[in-house]
């Protein structure tokens, strides 16, 4: 399947989630996926940081895919507040020391100096008919395309996105919380949509024990792909285990690309949903909402094995 990946990777950045990078590494190596472009978006990282993180990952894995910065300003929400909140862990010595740093990293942003829309339209044109969008971060890029270049999205067969939390009380996942308006625009755009909500991705886990076993079983030795990513994966797992109720890390974004590549890995149900205004970005069941295909279950053991085997 032809795929464009829209993401906010944080591999190599202290305290920044690396699930986008796990998903990218998988997609770039899986036989069923033909990645035509990678876009970055403001979210877990700034667009500029995500862009550099994506390029660094491709260099580690010996891959090359057209990559571009997307929008660094959400349609809604307070950009500066989100940047401070999401960047704060990287400035904590207890966090950045896990990455082997002796001082806090300098964070940076692209500030939308160049309009990214023409480049994204160009990528969609080159991809041709039958392309899918895998959205692993806030939905700002896709929402801007819907608003300003809807004809370019006529080539998109389906959008697959990680976002939304139906359960967990009033919790809003980061992807929808950073830009609630973008989430609502994408939901109501009329493009076939598969949603992988936080309710499901929080049932996944890559534990420290499983990770060590995978490394021990990898015949390629220290030069293999799994060993190449360990420099940023292991610090994040240590930080995640300290700060989240999981023994290692959740595999949020990996579920999206794995479900595209191997549909039998997950189970689906139809759901009629909408994006709430209170709390902003909350995914809710609403009979007046939009019909989507929703992932309701994932085989975690098979997911981890598939990721490792693919790399």
């Amino acid at each position: 399947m032809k795929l464009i990946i829209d993401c906010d990777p944080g591999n190599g950045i202290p305290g920044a989630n690396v699930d986008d990078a796990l998903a990218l590494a998988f997609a770039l190596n899986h036989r069923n996926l033909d990645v035509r472009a990678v876009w970055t978006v403001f979210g877990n990282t700034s667009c500029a940081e995500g862009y550099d993180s994506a390029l660094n990952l491709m260099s580690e894995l010996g891959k090359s895919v057209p990559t571009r910065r997307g929008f660094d300003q959400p349609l809604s929400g307070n950009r500066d507040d989100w940047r401070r909140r999401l960047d704060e862990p990287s400035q904590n010595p207890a966090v950045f020391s896990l990455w082997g740093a002796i001082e806090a990293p300098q964070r940076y942003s692209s500030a939308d100096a160049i309009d990214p829309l023409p480049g994204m339209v160009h990528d969609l044109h080159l991809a041709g008919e039958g392309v899918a969008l895998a959205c692993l971060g806030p939905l700002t890029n896709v929402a801007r395309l819907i608003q300003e270049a809807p004809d370019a999205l006529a080539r998109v067969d389906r959008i697959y996105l990680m976002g939304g939390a139906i359960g967990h009380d009033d919790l809003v996942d980061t992807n929808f919380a950073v830009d609630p308006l973008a989430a609502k625009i994408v939901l109501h755009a009329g493009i076939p949509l598969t949603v992988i909500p936080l309710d499901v991705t929080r049932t996944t886990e890559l534990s420290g024990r499983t990770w060590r076993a995978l490394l021990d079983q990898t015949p390629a030795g220290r030069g293999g792909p799994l060993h190449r990513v360990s420099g940023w994966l292991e610090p994040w797992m240590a930080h995640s285990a300290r700060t989240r109720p999981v023994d290692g890390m959740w595999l949020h974004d990996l579920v999206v690309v794995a479900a595209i590549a191997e549909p039998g890995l997950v189970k689906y149900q139809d759901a009629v949903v909408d994006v709430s205004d209170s709390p902003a970005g909350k995914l809710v069941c609403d009979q007046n909402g939009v019909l989507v295909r929703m992932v309701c279950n994932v085989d975690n053991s098979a997911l981890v094995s598939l990721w490792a085997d693919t790399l």
Side-chain angles (χ1 to χ4, degrees):
M1 177 178 286
K2 293 185 290 186
L3 197 63
I4 292 176
I5 298 178
D6 187 24
C7 57
D8 53 345
N11 45 295
I13 300 174
N17 202 330
V18 302
D19 57 325
D20 294 77
L22 296 188
L24 273 172
F26 174 88
L28 291 167
N29 284 280
H30 196 280
R31 63 188 181 280
N32 293 344
L33 300 179
D34 178 11
V35 181
R36 296 299 182 92
V38 174
W39 304 338
T40 63
V41 67
F42 176 95
N44 181 42
T45 59
S46 69
C47 279
E49 291 173 316
Y51 175 82
D52 289 344
S53 293
L55 292 182
N56 289 338
L57 175 64
M58 291 180 204
S59 177
E60 288 175 341
L61 299 177
K63 303 290 182 178
S64 180
V65 171
T67 305
R68 69 178 73 253
R69 300 174 184 87
F71 287 96
D72 207 41
Q73 175 69 48
L75 291 173
S76 58
N78 188 308
R79 182 196 185 283
D80 292 340
D81 283 352
W82 275 111
R83 199 69 275 139
R84 281 192 293 268
R85 185 186 310 184
L86 293 169
D87 294 348
E88 183 179 8
S90 70
Q91 307 304 298
N92 183 343
V95 176
F96 65 69
S97 62
L98 292 172
W99 274 255
I102 59 174
E103 59 183 20
Q106 294 291 319
R107 306 299 298 271
Y108 55 95
S109 179
S110 57
D112 287 350
I114 300 174
D115 181 7
L117 201 67
M120 292 190 290
V121 171
H122 177 71
D123 291 338
L124 287 164
H125 177 75
L126 287 183
E129 302 291 336
V131 66
L133 293 182
C135 298
L136 312 181
L139 294 165
T140 311
N141 287 338
V142 182
R144 291 290 295 266
L145 281 164
I146 291 166
Q147 289 181 322
E148 301 177 40
D151 290 347
L153 291 169
R155 302 169 181 271
V156 174
D157 273 0
R158 179 169 289 270
I159 294 173
Y160 298 79
L161 68 87
M162 189 275 131
I166 291 179
H168 305 285
D169 298 320
D170 284 341
L171 176 67
V172 180
D173 80 291
T174 302
N175 287 349
F176 277 25
V178 166
D179 197 345
L181 177 58
K184 184 177 281 287
I185 289 171
V186 172
L187 186 69
H188 287 269
I191 301 170
L193 191 62
T194 296
V195 176
I196 298 88
L198 191 71
D199 309 68
V200 172
T201 65
R202 275 197 173 187
T203 70
T204 66
E205 178 187 79
L206 175 60
S207 70
R209 180 177 181 179
T210 298
W211 170 245
R212 289 188 293 273
L214 289 173
L215 288 180
D216 290 342
Q217 295 165 11
T218 303
R222 296 300 300 180
L226 287 181
H227 292 283
R228 292 177 198 156
V229 304
S230 63
W232 48 260
L233 178 55
E234 291 180 3
W236 168 257
M237 290 179 65
H239 174 59
S240 173
R242 288 180 182 178
T243 57
R244 291 153 173 78
V246 61
D247 178 20
M249 66 173 292
W250 290 311
L251 300 170
H252 305 292
D253 294 333
L254 179 60
V255 182
V256 179
V257 292
I260 300 171
E262 305 279 354
L265 192 73
V266 301
K267 293 181 179 179
Y268 301 94
Q269 66 183 29
D270 289 339
V272 180
V273 297
D274 210 336
V275 178
S276 174
D277 294 326
S278 181
K282 180 68 177 176
L283 187 66
V284 294
C285 294
D286 185 337
Q287 64 180 358
N288 297 315
V290 177
L291 178 66
V292 303
R293 185 172 65 178
M294 184 173 293
V295 172
C296 58
N297 183 268
V298 58
D299 184 333
N300 182 70
S301 178
L303 175 69
V304 173
S305 296
L306 177 63
W307 177 74
D309 291 344
T310 299
L311 264 66

